[in-house]
Amino acid sequence: MTAMEDAPGHQDDSRTQALRYAGVADAIRTAVNSGSMTPGTRLPAERELARQHAVHRQTVRQALQLLREEGLVSTDRRGTVVRRPGSRAELLQAPSEVLFPLGALTAGSHNRITTRLSWEPVPAAYAAQLGSTPAARTLVHHYRAVSSTGDVTLHAVSYLSPTAVTEIPLLSRYRRHLPHHSHSDLRRLYQWMADAGMALEHSEALTLAAPQGAGPAAPRVRIQRHVRDQYHRTLEISRITPAGGDLTYRFTAPAKPAFQPA
């Protein structure tokens, strides 16, 4: 420690600075806990927060870092947003984590899983929902589960919107470079979305399609998932097709936070 750092005046300044950014963080925390700032609310810019609280921008940055460490807010390229109340507690309390791309489905522990990423044209039926055009290309994730006998037991194709690719840092890297082997582990995609300040809504439709041809064939199952954020922007559309055999579908509601704003 230098003589300057050990000086009483320097220590007083450090304590004063800590009190200032703790006060800014406490004001934002109180607004969130009271419900006046709801999940998905975008905070004012640093300059505006500094003006509101009569502090320097560096003090605001320290306050926001403290709130990020608490899991109360997250920051993306467009600024800082309020996360779900108790989001950190929910992740710890939830019985199981919903993983991409199967969500509530289980592929089976004995299957061999292969995945592939590619840039492909957006299907015309999905273009408007994904905020794109049929001619545009977007990031597409392919998933296959193969049994020990070589049969494909489950296949999923997921179209990720330009918004998702742009605003989620761990996806935006693929705009610059797609790995040569085109393989990537995206199982924690939904957590990446939450970390980018997105409050997610999952909507899944299960369809039993009539069997083709004659004979007592079992109906075919098709599942389509739409994932949207708090601004009702579609981030993902997935088509999931089990290819026969047992089908296990599990759904777990997210754990409720211990604190409920009045």
Side-chain angles (χ1 to χ4, degrees):
M1 180 178 292
T2 66
M4 179 177 291
E5 290 173 337
D6 197 34
H10 179 82
Q11 293 177 353
D12 289 343
D13 289 345
S14 298
R15 281 194 288 269
T16 300
Q17 176 66 10
L19 288 172
R20 284 174 179 165
Y21 78 73
V24 174
D26 188 59
I28 296 173
R29 190 184 300 110
T30 299
V32 172
N33 290 338
S34 67
S36 60
M37 279 189 179
T38 57
T41 299
R42 192 166 298 277
L43 272 63
E46 289 179 357
R47 186 185 301 277
E48 176 59 21
L49 285 172
R51 187 193 65 78
Q52 291 178 7
H53 296 279
V55 296
H56 294 295
R57 290 181 66 180
Q58 181 58 31
T59 302
V60 170
R61 293 191 186 105
Q62 291 175 299
L64 295 179
Q65 179 59 32
L66 179 61
L67 295 173
R68 280 193 292 269
E69 292 172 359
E70 295 176 4
L72 199 65
V73 302
S74 62
T75 301
D76 58 25
R77 295 181 180 183
R78 298 191 300 166
T80 300
V81 297
V82 177
R83 295 189 63 180
R84 301 185 308 274
S87 56
R88 176 166 293 183
E90 287 176 11
L91 289 174
L92 294 174
Q93 295 171 11
S96 62
E97 184 179 2
V98 176
L99 298 179
F100 175 86
L102 297 190
L105 281 173
T106 301
S109 58
H110 301 295
N111 287 319
R112 178 171 57 89
I113 307 301
T114 61
T115 62
R116 178 170 58 89
L117 275 173
S118 60
W119 287 96
E120 301 177 20
V122 178
Y126 299 160
Q129 299 173 72
L130 291 171
S132 184
T133 61
R137 300 171 74 83
T138 194
L139 193 62
V140 181
H141 182 270
H142 295 264
Y143 174 102
R144 290 206 318 167
V146 182
S147 70
S148 57
T149 60
D151 297 321
V152 177
T153 60
L154 193 148
H155 179 244
V157 181
S158 301
Y159 296 88
L160 303 174
S161 72
T163 295
V165 175
T166 299
E167 297 187 13
I168 299 170
L170 289 172
L171 284 184
S172 62
R173 58 184 172 175
Y174 296 121
R175 301 176 66 192
R176 301 183 296 271
H177 174 67
L178 190 63
H180 177 68
H181 51 74
S182 302
H183 170 79
S184 184
D185 185 356
L186 300 188
R187 286 177 295 176
R188 291 182 57 80
L189 176 61
Y190 301 130
Q191 182 59 48
W192 298 351
M193 290 178 175
D195 290 342
M198 298 171 174
L200 304 179
E201 173 190 277
H202 292 239
S203 175
E204 298 186 356
L206 281 73
T207 302
L208 291 177
Q212 297 178 342
R220 293 177 294 117
V221 177
R222 292 197 303 264
I223 301 168
Q224 183 159 298
R225 177 192 304 121
H226 291 245
V227 176
R228 302 177 182 86
D229 69 0
Q230 65 269 34
Y231 307 110
H232 306 291
R233 301 177 300 181
T234 299
L235 306 174
E236 168 212 338
I237 297 178
S238 289
R239 296 197 309 256
I240 305 172
T241 309
D246 294 338
L247 172 67
T248 301
Y249 186 90
R250 305 182 193 278
F251 177 77
T252 301
K256 295 182 179 179
F259 175 79
Q260 294 285 354

